[in-house]
Amino acid sequence: MSGDMDYGKLPPEGEDHFHRLDAHLVATDTLMTTLDNIEETIEDKGMMVAYGAAGYGKTMSVNAALRKVAPDITYRLELRSGPTPRDIRHGLFHALGLPGEPPTRPIEFDTLLKDTLSETFRVLVCDEAQWMGRSSFEYWRHLWDDRHTNMAVIFAGGDDCYKVLKREPILASRIFIWQKLQRMPEDEVSATLPAFHSLWAGVDPKMIRGIDRAAAHGNFRNWTTITKHMLNGMKKKGLTEVNEDLVNWVYSKLGGV
């Protein structure tokens, strides 16, 4: 987060793009599906899981959807390194902007959080949810299950969060929507990139598909990295358009191409 006042809030749109690339948000099929699913989850006051491999746009899609439908009532946590229920308690304390010092006893802490989450409807977002184990997911269920709390919960994470939840029927049965984010099909890649960044506006779709097969593999984070290298290469080489030599130069920057 950029500062204490921003803790727990949705980040600015510009921070969604990898490498802080100056690019445009495009209404891809994935983004529109995420928007529909989040709207339904909020209406249901339920829990949703957006999961998939790294780079498929989970965080960007969730953030973009929430900026549209619930920007003022969304509170976001990003957890790292095997968080415990204690970490989630403290994360929620700061994300919700609660005053004073966090309670030292779990029972008092839980009472404070439940009372706060009962005051008004909120959307809680747990990003990087793949780091959580069973006890951490169970703690979210404990808060959500309380008959007084008033909230929807969105988990965004890698495949591991799906595996953990599916192993626990009591937890899995609480999830209202499961959304798996997958690689973008070639046709959608070639249609999306010119709208994503002006660099690709005049590039032959055949070249874009070739780059996708060789290096990007339908992964939007890969495409962001490739776009950044392309822009750097054009500046260094004094180019005004993408050509095969530049593409090969970018490949030299990437592993496994």
Side-chain angles (χ1 to χ4, degrees):
M1 298 294 177
S2 58
D4 289 343
M5 291 185 65
D6 294 329
Y7 193 98
K9 299 298 184 181
L10 289 167
E13 183 179 323
E15 294 187 13
D16 283 346
H17 294 297
F18 200 44
H19 306 301
R20 296 182 183 270
L21 186 69
D22 184 15
H24 301 289
L25 184 68
V26 184
T28 61
D29 289 345
T30 294
L31 178 56
M32 299 311 295
T33 298
T34 305
L35 177 60
D36 288 343
N37 286 339
I38 284 179
E39 285 182 317
E40 291 181 25
T41 300
I42 289 174
E43 183 178 353
D44 185 72
K45 297 185 178 182
M47 292 197 286
M48 169 183 163
V49 180
Y51 68 99
Y56 287 163
K58 298 179 295 295
T59 298
M60 182 170 67
S61 296
V62 167
N63 287 348
L66 287 167
R67 284 193 200 98
K68 185 173 180 63
V69 300
D72 299 325
I73 58 171
T74 295
Y75 298 82
R76 183 174 178 272
L77 284 78
E78 184 170 337
L79 303 171
R80 301 281 184 178
S81 242
T84 64
R86 180 183 184 278
D87 297 322
I88 296 170
R89 288 186 183 99
H90 283 266
L92 285 170
F93 183 89
H94 293 296
L96 294 168
L98 299 181
E101 294 297 320
T104 56
R105 298 177 60 189
I107 190 167
E108 294 173 356
F109 212 149
D110 290 350
T111 298
L112 172 64
L113 291 176
K114 289 177 182 178
D115 286 346
T116 301
L117 293 170
S118 300
E119 294 169 352
T120 185
F121 177 71
R122 293 176 172 88
V123 181
L124 303 181
V125 180
C126 180
D127 201 4
E128 303 294 348
Q130 72 272 7
W131 294 108
M132 292 195 298
R134 182 188 181 281
S135 63
S136 296
F137 280 116
E138 178 64 29
Y139 185 71
W140 285 102
R141 184 202 63 77
H142 171 71
L143 293 177
W144 182 81
D145 263 358
D146 188 279
R147 64 189 180 91
H148 297 295
T149 56
N150 188 16
M151 61 186 185
V153 181
I154 313 293
F155 298 112
D159 289 330
D160 284 350
C161 70
Y162 172 84
K163 295 174 184 175
V164 170
L165 285 166
K166 279 298 188 180
R167 283 198 298 264
E168 303 294 337
I170 293 177
L171 298 175
S173 66
R174 289 342 193 249
I175 303 301
F176 181 55
I177 291 178
W178 303 83
Q179 180 183 346
K180 183 174 184 178
L181 284 79
Q182 304 184 68
R183 63 182 294 171
M184 188 180 297
E186 273 187 15
D187 288 347
E188 189 175 5
V189 167
S190 58
T192 297
L193 279 178
F196 170 67
H197 198 283
S198 59
L199 169 73
W200 302 106
V203 177
D204 188 333
K206 290 182 180 178
M207 177 178 281
I208 292 175
R209 288 193 290 270
I211 296 170
D212 194 56
R213 292 169 191 166
H217 312 299
N219 183 306
F220 221 78
R221 187 176 296 172
N222 291 346
W223 271 112
T224 304
T225 298
I226 289 167
T227 302
K228 185 73 171 182
H229 282 308
M230 289 282 186
L231 292 169
N232 290 343
M234 292 175 74
K235 184 177 179 180
K236 289 180 180 180
K237 298 173 181 294
L239 299 174
T240 59
E241 60 183 25
V242 176
N243 59 36
E244 289 290 349
D245 287 342
L246 179 62
V247 170
N248 290 328
W249 180 84
V250 169
Y251 287 167
S252 74
K253 305 288 184 181
L254 308 173
V257 180

